[in-house]
Amino acid sequence: MNIVILLGAPGSGKGTVASRLAAENSNLKHVSSGDLLRGAVAKGTAAGVEAKEYMEAGKLVPDTLIAKMIGDVVAETVGDMTMLLDGFPRNVAQADILAETAKASGATIKSAVLLDVPDEVIFDRIAGRRTCPKCKAGYHVTNLPPKVEGICDQCGAELTIRKDDNPDTVKDRLAVYHAQTEPLIEYYEKAGLLRKINGLGDTAEIASNFLSAM
Ligand code: AMP
């Protein structure tokens, strides 16, 4: 199995690009650490109960908690798939854990693709973000609107705004990104795995550039 890491700030479009590519290519699998955690919170599992407070505050959940979830998905993914890993790793300790997990399961980390988006654009993007609680499809009120306002195109459920998408929490999440996640750019550059693409513009074009870069 191959692993492609998506790097970029919250709201840079990692989830949108990865879910689009996975829908269009049967050998690509989108794995979002945020979705795994939100699923655990919704189910009320022990991990979900532990993660909830951190997530609502815009802080990172403990490394071991999320690493275990990602490790389980890596273990159950079949050999000829390429995993698009969105939201993990979020710091250098998690990147080291991922390197170990990949090695132990015979997976190869192919690249880490950075979606480059300036901070001022992030606020707008997150403010307009809407998510389907049922099938996890993502929308944006102006950039990627659903056909019927407030309703998921794919499953008809009512779209929601994520609790941690409020302006104060977004500020905290961006601060966490700059302090803890940004060092991964240098980490993967040193490993010769970093690719950078422009995260602004048309989603189809970004997805196509991503596919070429990975
Ligand atoms: P996301 O959907 O990727 O923006 O993640 C939402 C929230 O889940 C983050 O603000 C963190 O609280 C938590 N989270 C997601 N991925 C990780 C990770 N790799 N390490 C720690 N916390 C994470």
Side-chain angles (χ1 to χ4, degrees):
M1 196 224 333
N2 289 313
I3 296 173
V4 171
I5 298 160
L6 287 99
L7 289 178
S12 60
K14 302 186 297 292
T16 306
V17 167
S19 62
R20 185 184 179 111
L21 288 172
E24 290 170 351
N25 300 275
S26 58
N27 64 324
L28 299 180
K29 174 175 174 168
H30 175 204
V31 176
S32 153
S33 56
D35 283 349
L36 290 174
L37 287 163
R38 281 183 288 276
V41 171
K43 276 194 206 136
T45 65
V49 170
E50 193 185 345
K52 191 169 185 248
E53 230 176 275
Y54 294 94
M55 294 173 75
E56 286 182 357
K59 296 202 177 94
L60 296 184
V61 308
D63 293 338
T64 46
L65 189 158
I66 183 63
K68 162 89 175 64
M69 288 184 173
I70 298 289
D72 289 347
V73 182
V74 169
E76 74 195 19
T77 304
V78 292
D80 56 353
M81 294 293 283
T82 292
M83 183 184 287
L84 302 177
L85 200 43
D86 157 17
F88 186 92
R90 276 290 227 280
N91 59 30
V92 169
Q94 292 182 10
D96 288 339
I97 296 173
L98 179 64
E100 285 301 313
T101 306
K103 202 169 157 194
S105 60
T108 306
I109 300 177
K110 259 183 86 185
S111 56
V113 184
L114 172 68
L115 283 166
D116 213 7
V117 177
D119 266 12
E120 53 278 18
V121 178
I122 296 287
F123 273 97
D124 263 7
R125 283 204 180 170
I126 295 188
R129 187 149 78 170
R130 300 290 181 271
T131 317
C132 175
K134 211 170 144 199
C135 76
K136 307 291 173 247
Y139 298 89
H140 188 278
V141 288
T142 49
N143 303 342
L144 192 66
K147 290 188 185 106
V148 178
E149 194 184 324
I151 301 294
C152 179
D153 291 348
Q154 291 175 33
C155 73
E158 203 166 317
L159 301 179
T160 53
I161 301 176
R162 272 170 50 173
K163 238 184 187 163
D164 59 350
D165 276 353
N166 71 74
D168 282 344
T169 314
V170 171
K171 250 185 239 162
D172 292 341
R173 288 164 64 203
L174 274 175
V176 167
Y177 172 74
H178 289 304
Q180 299 196 46
T181 311
E182 228 164 35
L184 292 180
I185 297 172
E186 199 185 326
Y187 180 103
Y188 287 113
E189 194 161 33
K190 277 192 183 144
L193 294 172
L194 186 74
R195 318 277 182 266
K196 239 188 226 184
I197 62 165
N198 182 3
L200 295 178
D202 177 55
T203 309
E205 194 182 327
I206 298 169
S208 152
N209 290 340
F210 187 97
L211 208 52
S212 312
M214 67 178 240

